[in-house]
Amino acid sequence: MNAKESEFEFIKGLTAELSSKNLVFPTSLKTTMKIRRALDTPDISNDQVARIVSSEPVLSAQVLKLANSAMFNRTGKKIEELRAATVMLGFGVVRNVAISVGMKQLKDHQASGQSAERMEGLWVRSMRVAALSFVIARNLTKQSADKAMIAGLLHDVGKFYILNRACLYQDLFSSESTLWDLVDQWHADIGAAILDSWEMSDDIRAAVMDHKLSDHPFTGKANLTDIVSAADFLDAHFVAQSIANLDWDKIPMSLRNLQLDAEKTEKLMMETGQELAAVMQVLA
């Protein structure tokens, strides 16, 4: 089979998975996302949460680790029981950790060599956008900071899935640009299917799917999509060290809805460094 035929087979396979809604996830990720959905059950008790979390060893370890971190445990007394850990963290944080663990499982599944490097780079960027989304929501809006963090973490979830599946076609792509062209073409549709499969809320789905659109309306009041869009945009410029060179007469509408300007943005990036580090600790 030549490269073109292999690429066609790869795309045909993705299309079949998408149309049948039979997306292929690691078993561990399926378990983690079932746990996440269970945590959304109304009136769930602390004991039930502890039992649910205990069914996934990686999640259990992460919850205990976080509960014993300096960020959450100010007493210094070691917490060894999941029930006590979930009470200290709160259900919202535990849900966020469950999604974070799930994304890591997707990142690490089948990845090796150059593929692992691609996934790691995508993961680090997703964590940065998640952290910045949290900070923007908390400092500039009345939107839920926790929800903004999850939307930021998931903003490139379709890319994770395609790169994960591409691991099975190691010799397919002749260049990095060929692979990323395919990713850019398909990640939105794949992302939508994943979010539907995970039963994400409509506003998170909209934020993930629409944050790259250039025709956001000016409302003067930022929504979740504006937050993720601004975080994605600012992170790219922050990494490129080009924020100082932005033309503020031509900024995306999401930044206008957040009423951001050069002075506010500089202050935001400087004042929230510590907060960003704390959020990264939650997601790492």
Side-chain angles (χ1 to χ4, degrees), residues 93-235:
V93 171
V94 174
R95 278 193 295 269
N96 288 355
V97 173
I99 294 177
S100 173
V101 168
M103 291 289 285
K104 279 194 198 177
Q105 290 164 338
L106 184 57
K107 171 181 76 76
D108 294 335
H109 183 59
Q110 296 180 349
S112 61
Q114 190 175 20
S115 172
E117 291 179 12
R118 295 188 196 108
M119 296 290 263
E120 186 66 26
L122 194 60
W123 168 244
V124 171
R125 172 157 164 71
S126 294
M127 292 214 312
R128 289 199 312 265
V129 172
L132 189 50
S133 296
F134 178 93
V135 171
I136 290 172
R138 184 171 176 178
N139 286 276
L140 300 178
T141 78
K142 293 183 179 179
Q143 297 284 328
S144 165
D146 284 341
K147 183 175 282 190
M149 182 168 68
I150 289 304
L153 184 65
L154 294 173
H155 82 288
D156 274 341
V157 66
K159 295 181 181 180
F160 276 98
Y161 187 86
I162 297 171
L163 290 177
N164 181 283
R165 301 297 286 144
C167 291
L168 301 176
Y169 296 79
Q170 294 285 355
D171 301 324
L172 169 59
F173 302 101
S174 57
S175 68
E176 282 290 293
S177 61
T178 302
L179 174 59
W180 286 107
D181 284 346
L182 186 74
V183 170
D184 288 341
Q185 180 181 351
W186 286 89
H187 79 91
D189 290 334
I190 292 290
I194 291 171
L195 296 174
D196 288 342
S197 173
W198 290 352
E199 299 177 11
M200 288 292 166
S201 62
D202 290 342
D203 53 350
I204 289 180
R205 190 183 188 282
V208 172
M209 302 317 303
D210 298 339
H211 71 275
K212 283 289 191 183
L213 297 181
S214 58
D215 58 349
H216 293 290
F218 176 71
T219 62
K221 184 178 180 181
N223 59 24
L224 195 60
T225 300
D226 289 316
I227 292 168
V228 176
S229 176
D232 179 66
F233 177 83
L234 290 175
D235 176 72

Side-chain angles (χ1 to χ4, degrees), residues 249-266:
D249 292 327
K250 298 179 180 178
I251 58 172
M253 197 59 70
S254 57
L255 274 68
R256 296 188 189 279
N257 283 332
L258 287 160
Q259 300 178 33
L260 277 170
D261 56 24
E263 183 179 351
K264 287 181 181 178
T265 298
E266 183 180 3

